[in-house]
Every structure is written in C-alpha cells, then in structure tokens.
Amino acid sequence: MTAAIATSGLVKTFGSTRALDRLDLTVDTGEVHGFLGPNGAGKSTTIRVLLGLLRADSGRVEVLGGDPWHDAVAMHRRMAYVPGDVELWPNLTGGEAIDLLGRLRGGLNKARRAELIERLDLDPTKKGRTYSKGNRQKVAIVAALASDAELLLLDEPTAGLDPLMEVVFQDVINQVKAQGRTVLLSSHILAQVEELADKVSIIRHGEIVQSGTLAEMRHLTRTTIEADTSRPVTGLELMPGVHDLEAADGRVRFAVDGDHLNDAVQALSHFDIRSMTSHPPTLEELMLRHYGEELAAAGNGNGEER
Amino acid sequence: MTATAVREPTRTPTRRSPGNVLAGTGTLIRFILRRDRIKLPAWLLGISLLLFQLATAVSGLTETEEGREDLARFMEGEVSAIMGPGYGRDSISAEVYVAGVYGLFFFVLAALMSMQLVSRHTRVDEQNGRAELVRSTVVGRYAQLTAVLIVAVAANVLLGLMVGGTMTANGFDGGDGLLFGASVGAVGLVFAGITALTVQVTEYARTATGIAGAALGGAWAVRAVGDMIDDYGSPLSWFSPLAWSNQTRSYVDGRWWPLLLSIGLAAAATAAGYALSNRRDVGAGLVASRAGAPVAASWLRSPLAAAFRLQRASLIGWTAALAVFAFMFGAVADQLTDPDGMSENRIDMFGGSVDTLVDGYLGVITLFTAALAGIMAIQGVQAVRQEETKGRAEPVLATATSRWTWLGSYLTVIAIGLVGLLLVAGFASGIGAAASVGDSSYVWEMTSAHLAQVPGVLVLLGTAALLFGVLPRAIGLAWAVVGGSLFVGMFGTLMDIPGWLRNIMPTEYTGQPPLDSIAWQAMVILLVIAAGLAAAGLAAFRRRDLETK
C-alpha cells in the first residue's frame, strides 16, 4: 500500500513556539486515519502544512506523491479540506459558497451535493452571516464531500454539529471509505475516531507519540478486569503487569498489561470466578496515558481548538 | 341559553406602571459606561484635541492680513459651499474660519460617535445574542434603548461643553463657543436619534449604521448643493440637519433657535425608534433578511469571478459616489470664468493665469478625485487582507487556486475597477463642466484627464499589494501615501510642502490635466513601477505563510 501522506522530521516554529517538533506521520492510501491530540498540540498546524498553506521549517512532507508547498495547486485538485473554524462570506449564501469552493477545486458532484444538503438538513439559501457555527461547518462539509477528491483533510469537522448530524456524518465518512478514498480526521471526539478510524496517531507537543491500529495500541495498554469470585483473591497484586488492584467483599478490580492478560486471567480462575467483565482500553485511556498530567492540570480536555 | 353561575375570575388589576418597561435602565447605563470607559473618553478627548490643534494653527495663520486673505479664499464662491454656507467671510477671523469651514468635520465626527455608540449597544448586542441574555433578566422592554440614548445625550452635551471650552481656551468668545459646541452636539443628537430608528429596521448592525451613514452623506449633499445655490444657504439647505448647525452663525451673529429643529428631529426619530422597537422580536428586524440563491450563478467559477463578486458592492458604491461628487464639482466650473475680484492667491492655486482658470480648477478637482480613488484601492487591498485574517482565504487556497491567482485576481479586479471609476467620474465631471461653461469639449477633456491619473493611483495599489506580501500587518502604511497625495493636492499651495515629500507622491508626476497636457512618458513609467510593485507583492505572498486564525 502506498502512503497518501508521509512526513518525517517536520518542524514548524512560530516565533519562539515550536508548533511541530520532528513530526513523523504516515497515512496509507484508502484508510481513515484518526489524528488525536489536545488543544495546541499541533493538529491544525500539521494539516495546514499538508495543504501547503504553511511552509515547514525543516523536514520532509509528501502528500499524494508531491510536495504540497511547491505543487499546491496540482495537489489541491485531488484534496478537499474542512477547516476547524469555518468562516463564510457574509453576503454569499451557503449554496453559493459550496459551489464557489467546489468549482475552484475543479467541479463538484451535483447529485452528491444535493444529497448531502438534504441529509445534513442545511438551508443553502441563507446568507453566510446568518448561519450558526454548526451550519457553517455543514457548508464546509458539503463543499468538501461533494467533490471527488481522493484525500480528505478534516480538521475537527463535527465541532458544533448536534448528535443526530454526527451520526449522519459518520455514515457519510463510511461511504467515502467504501469508495477507497483516504481521510485524515482530526478530532477531540474519541468515540467518533474509534468508530471510523482504521489507524490512529496521537500528537503531543508537536510530535507523534503513538501511531498504529486500535488493536495494536490496545495491546500496548491495559485491560481492566472486574470479577466476582467465590474465594477472596490473594497474591494477584504480586504478579507482573497487574496494576491498581482493589479487592473487597468477593469483588476484585484491576488493570493488566496486554502482555500479561493471559497469566492474570488464569491466576484469577483459581479463585472460582462467578462473573467477570473485562473492557479493553478506551481511547480516553490511551489519551490519558499520554496526557494525564495536562488533563489534570487543565481540568478538562474538550475545549475548542484555536 | 343556560345561565351559569361561574363568576369571572377576579383579576387583579394589572396596571402596568411605566417603570416596568424601563426596569434596569440605571444598571444598564452603568454597564454601558463601564464597557465604553475607553472608547467614549477617547472620542470626546480626541475631538477636543483635534479642535484645539486646528484652532491654534488657524490662529497663527490669521495674524497677518496676507494670511487672512489666504484663508478667505476658502470661504468664497461655490467651492466653499462644500464646507459651509460661508457666514462671516467678509470679516474673517480665526474663530469664524474654524466654526465656518472646519465646523463640518466636527459635525461629522459627532455624528459618527453617536451612530457607533447607539448601534454598539443596541443592534450589535442583539446580533451577537448578548441582548437576549440581558433581556432575560429583570430588564424592561425599553431599558436597553433608553439607557444608550441617555448615555448618548450625556455624551453629546459633554462634547458640546468640551468644544465650547476648547474654543474659549483658545481665546475666542465664550458665549459663541458654547453655541458652536451646542451646534456640534446637536448633530450628534440628531444622528443618535436616526440610528435609534435604523437599528430597529435591519437585522444587521452594519446595514443599520450604513443607512444612518447614508443619511449623513445625504444631509451633507443637500446642504452643500443648497449652499451653492445661494450665499448663506438657500431654502434647500434647510432640509439638512447639518445646515441647522451651520445656521446658528456662531462667532458672526449667533442665534440658538435653529437648534430647536435639531432637537425636534432627534426627538421624532427617537420616538419612531421606540414605536418600531415595540413591533418586533428581540434579534429580529422589521425587514426580514431575504433568502438568497441556493446555487451560485454559473459565471461564479473562477478566482477572478469570485474576487469580482466579493468586491462588486464596494466598486459600485465608490463609483456612484465619486461620479456624483465629480459632477457637482464640474457643474460649478463656470464660477471660475470670471476672474474679477479673485485674489492673487486663488489664481495661483488654479494655475496662475486668468486665461486658464477653469482648466486649473478642473485639474485640482481631478487630482482630488484621483486621490479619493486611491482610498478605494487601499480599502480594496485591506478587504483582501481581511479575507486572509478572518480565515476565509484558507478554504479557497486549499482548492486548486494558487496564491498568485488568488491575490492577482483581486488586484486585477481593483485595477479594472479603478479605471472604470475614473472613467465614469471623469465623464460625469466633464458633463457638469461642459453644461456649466457651455463648452462640450470638456466632456472628452475631463474624461481623458481622469484617465491620465490612473497610473498614479495604480502605484498606490501596487504599494498596498507590496505591503500585503511583505509586511501584511503594516498595510495601513499605504494610507500615508494616499493621505499625502490628498494633502498635497488640497493644501499644496496653501502650505509649503517640502519638495521631497511632493516627489514621492505618485500623483505629482502625472501633472494636472486638463491644465497641463497629458504626461505620456510619466504615465508609462508609473505603470511600470505599479506593475513592479504588484509583482513583488505577489512574489512575497507566494513565499510567506498564510496567516490563519
């Protein structure tokens, strides 16, 4: 499989801020790639470098086999972009903005445009200044997805959409995926990425700290086990890879590293398991492993990216 | 019919006290003062300081008889009617000149201050959803409008006192100073009232202030034309609220009663505003915003078409406004056919020879129009800059549109717009001049004279484009060039402008046709310079990062 996006050692600084710090990101053709990270981690900056709107200070960028800074126009014919914070022209209607952006890219599929407007429940006759944030977002989504672009760069595309529209959006992205197109989806909404993404990259302080399929990443992390046993559990906390064990009144709860899951469950079975639940690490937990200290400091991690 | 014994539920008499609809006004006044604690004092102090500066400068100029003659020529004839009706031109003094000629600036500033103040605390708040938040608390229906109008009245009274005080501090008569101050404040009150009305009508603050601004422009035009018709104003003048403030004749033979008209109009407009505010929902306008086209017109498919679509309204507005001005300036050209009683200085200003006075005057007017066209060019580039900083350029540049094409399209549209504007304005002034002087050759002469200014204005456009590419944050520097051209064009003969300053103004090289012959060589050189500046700006923009939000 060829790579739709390949960067290595990407560095971008703004004054004294190092927004991207040797970023290595690879997105294979035909995959939906989740791009996760908190505010200011460098997600939007990465996407703008991939679009050739910003020039990297150093490092290599290849998008669809070309250099986005030098061949911006040729690349852009094959790419579509949804910005994280959509601004529209106050005196152009949403429909006009969709057509203008689509035509400037080299044409858009009218049937798909109509279908998307219908499904996203967008009124294309309203002027740009009258749209709410969610509706501006819909305009950008329709403009991008009604194209035949092979690569979609979506920067938090559903920020401001209601849950119903979120479901529609997921469905649309699944269609795009079925057509074999490539999607880079940056998001805070972990459930959405979990639902859609084949692979995930986690960015922190301008570098990718982890990248892989969800299965691979889960393997690297801990599974949480809760069980009721007939006999009190003893000695399990001494086993390698077992963490945070709490036991009381015949109930036990612990986390276990992927490598030691089998040993731990075998050991547990000696205490006569009456019921057991296990859940794989959620992306929240994957993120927390990398961002624990920042999330604790910030109090919440769901603010908007600026 | 069955008689039922059900009694009417006893209603507690709900006599609404008028206090209900005004509940919270006091708190809102304090809130407005808190929000505007910088803006409002800045306006008041800024206006007073400007007045002080001007009054001091004019006082210096009137020390000699020669200086007074210099000033007097700005108060003579139809051209001076642009500024005011010309009271006191027979015995000119510094205070007469300040009130009679510069007074217009202060009327306009008071109007702008009041328009922005009222719109900021009514429609802007509604548009951003803040008014809703406030109205959901214990705040009466009329409280927001009442609060801002009370602040507006207080601000204009204070402005009047400060203007009067400034004039008195300059050593001018105190009583007339107060009258002049009241005249300035009265214009502010009128436009506060008009804005209180217009913000009820439209859903968007920009449209509301736009309508009020158009009313201000209209008031100026009516007064200017009215004052041109007759010395000291004609009946037409009296249809303009600006005229009422001029007609107080401060420092000549002051009278207060014209200001009653101002107060009457302010009160009537305010009352209409209150009446309309009662007939609409919070956030809505009386005129619902219309639905637009669900699909884009088929011609809207290239960066050039997009640039044209986004600049269209501004191009049409500028062209129409300058065509009207140019026609008016042209139509008074016959006043200069007779040099009798004209001062030497004034003849100098218009070319120095009594035989070519009309051509000299038309040349000055052409240069003036060209400098105004320069303002349009720079505003156009600033609009492009806004596309970038507001984040609207980003999705466009993420399509198959190169940086060159994007910026180049805008520059092309503005450049063609400039040619069209000067063509139309030249033709309009030519028609006016031809009709008033009775010589049809002016139609062609004025059209070509205006077109001869195109290269100079394009250099301004090129300068703005270069700044956009190299130092986008400093794009405002281009204003210095256009301001300089305007200043040199207007006051070049009145003040000693250093040669080097004149030499860097592009409009200096195209001469002043129709008085001078068209400088073909200079035009070509300026065109090359303009193209070079624009190309450098484009190249620099291609190399820099796009500024994103």
Side-chain angles (χ1 to χ4, degrees), chain B residues 298-444:
Chain B
S298 56
W299 56 266
L300 188 60
R301 52 173 56 255
S302 67
L304 195 65
F308 170 70
R309 174 69 181 77
L310 295 169
Q311 295 262 322
R312 185 174 64 187
S314 143
L315 289 179
I316 293 174
W318 271 97
T319 306
L322 282 189
V324 171
F325 287 151
F327 177 79
M328 279 173 40
F329 284 129
V332 297
D334 63 321
Q335 299 300 322
L336 289 118
T337 50
D338 178 17
D340 280 354
M342 201 175 280
S343 68
E344 198 64 32
N345 282 326
R346 187 160 182 176
I347 293 170
D348 272 353
M349 183 177 179
F350 296 139
S353 160
V354 289
D355 303 326
T356 55
L357 267 183
V358 172
D359 286 0
Y361 161 75
L362 291 174
V364 170
I365 292 315
T366 305
L367 194 63
F368 187 58
T369 310
L372 290 177
I375 297 180
M376 185 202 83
I378 293 174
Q379 270 197 349
V381 178
Q382 282 188 322
V384 182
R385 171 74 180 146
Q386 274 214 335
E387 286 289 300
E388 182 186 1
T389 53
K390 296 254 174 185
R392 295 190 291 258
E394 196 183 338
V396 172
L397 290 171
T399 67
T401 304
S402 71
R403 302 269 186 107
W404 268 90
T405 318
W406 183 75
L407 180 56
S409 298
Y410 275 102
L411 296 179
T412 308
V413 164
I414 298 169
I416 293 175
L418 279 173
V419 175
L421 179 146
L422 287 170
L423 182 73
V424 172
F427 187 71
S429 71
I431 298 261
S436 76
V437 181
D439 180 352
S440 63
S441 69
Y442 275 116
V443 177
W444 163 245

Side-chain angles (χ1 to χ4, degrees), chain A residues 12 14 44-46 48-56 69, chain B residues 403 544-548:
Chain A
K12 177 73 196 172
F14 297 108
S44 297
T45 305
T46 306
R48 284 171 181 149
V49 170
L50 296 176
L51 282 162
L53 297 174
L54 300 178
R55 170 143 70 168
W69 179 262
Chain B
R403 302 269 186 107
R544 73 170 167 88
D545 282 344
L546 190 73
E547 203 168 298
T548 50

Side-chain angles (χ1 to χ4, degrees), chain B residues 410-492:
Chain B
Y410 275 102
L411 296 179
T412 308
V413 164
I414 298 169
I416 293 175
L418 279 173
V419 175
L421 179 146
L422 287 170
L423 182 73
V424 172
F427 187 71
S429 71
I431 298 261
S436 76
V437 181
D439 180 352
S440 63
S441 69
Y442 275 116
V443 177
W444 163 245
E445 274 197 43
M446 284 306 279
T447 308
S448 56
H450 277 75
L451 289 177
Q453 299 291 352
V454 166
V457 185
L458 287 181
V459 171
L460 288 176
L461 177 62
T463 309
L466 180 67
L467 285 167
F468 180 85
V470 179
L471 259 179
R473 276 161 219 269
I475 209 162
L477 282 179
W479 287 113
V481 185
V482 82
S485 299
L486 204 58
F487 193 75
V488 171
M490 274 181 85
F491 301 113

Side-chain angles (χ1 to χ4, degrees), chain A residues 12-14 48 51-56 69-74 76-77 79-81 83 85 87-97 99-106 113 117 124-127 129-130 306, chain B residues 127 203-204 206-207 289-303 305-306 309-310 313 387 390-403 405 410 541-549:
Chain A
K12 177 73 196 172
T13 53
F14 297 108
R48 284 171 181 149
L51 282 162
L53 297 174
L54 300 178
R55 170 143 70 168
W69 179 262
H70 287 106
D71 314 322
V73 170
H76 289 171
R77 280 186 218 287
M79 294 156 78
Y81 168 53
D85 196 349
E87 285 296 331
L88 298 175
W89 297 277
N91 53 351
L92 253 55
T93 64
E96 286 178 307
D99 286 346
L100 176 61
L101 290 171
R103 289 169 186 174
L104 289 178
R105 187 177 295 106
R113 176 190 187 274
I117 285 178
T125 66
K126 285 171 74 177
K127 301 268 184 189
R129 60 188 171 201
T130 66
R306 280 278 139 193
Chain B
Q127 196 181 325
E203 246 176 87
Y204 296 98
R206 273 181 73 168
T207 323
S289 60
R290 283 172 301 156
V295 291
S298 56
W299 56 266
L300 188 60
R301 52 173 56 255
S302 67
R309 174 69 181 77
L310 295 169
E387 286 289 300
K390 296 254 174 185
R392 295 190 291 258
E394 196 183 338
V396 172
L397 290 171
T399 67
T401 304
S402 71
R403 302 269 186 107
T405 318
Y410 275 102
F541 178 55
R542 175 65 186 86
R543 274 177 185 78
R544 73 170 167 88
D545 282 344
L546 190 73
E547 203 168 298
T548 50
K549 291 217 290 186

Side-chain angles (χ1 to χ4, degrees), chain A residues 30-33 82 116 119 141 144-145 152-154 157-158 165-185 192-193 195-198:
Chain A
E31 78 182 11
V32 175
H33 197 102
V82 174
L116 284 165
R119 291 193 64 188
I141 290 174
L145 294 181
L152 298 167
L153 300 179
L154 313 178
T158 59
M165 289 305 139
E166 190 102 25
V167 173
V168 173
F169 175 79
Q170 292 193 2
D171 198 33
V172 173
I173 293 298
N174 276 322
Q175 281 178 13
V176 165
K177 193 167 148 183
Q179 291 160 354
R181 301 203 255 168
T182 313
V183 180
L184 180 67
L185 176 68
Q192 180 182 71
V193 171
E195 187 78 26
L196 292 170
D198 306 307

Side-chain angles (χ1 to χ4, degrees), chain A residues 218-274:
Chain A
R218 280 181 180 137
H219 181 69
L220 293 173
T221 51
R222 295 165 189 168
T223 301
T224 303
I225 305 244
E226 280 185 76
D228 282 336
T229 49
S230 306
R231 281 171 284 142
V233 176
T234 52
L236 212 59
E237 66 270 23
L238 301 174
M239 291 186 65
V242 172
H243 306 271
D244 306 331
L245 188 125
E246 295 166 37
D249 305 333
R251 275 190 76 79
V252 66
R253 181 193 159 92
F254 61 90
V256 57
D257 289 343
D259 300 347
H260 298 96
L261 182 61
N262 191 44
D263 298 341
V265 173
Q266 278 187 358
L268 191 63
S269 65
H270 297 308
F271 301 99
D272 190 9
I273 302 171
R274 283 194 300 213

Side-chain angles (χ1 to χ4, degrees), chain B residues 26-60:
Chain B
T27 315
L28 286 176
I29 290 175
R30 287 199 294 279
F31 181 49
I32 291 172
L33 293 176
R34 169 67 180 75
R35 279 177 65 192
D36 283 359
R37 69 193 187 286
I38 308 284
K39 265 191 190 125
L40 217 43
W43 268 101
L44 295 172
L45 281 174
I47 292 175
S48 305
L49 273 176
L50 178 67
L51 179 64
F52 188 80
Q53 281 288 333
L54 277 172
T56 313
V58 172
S59 294

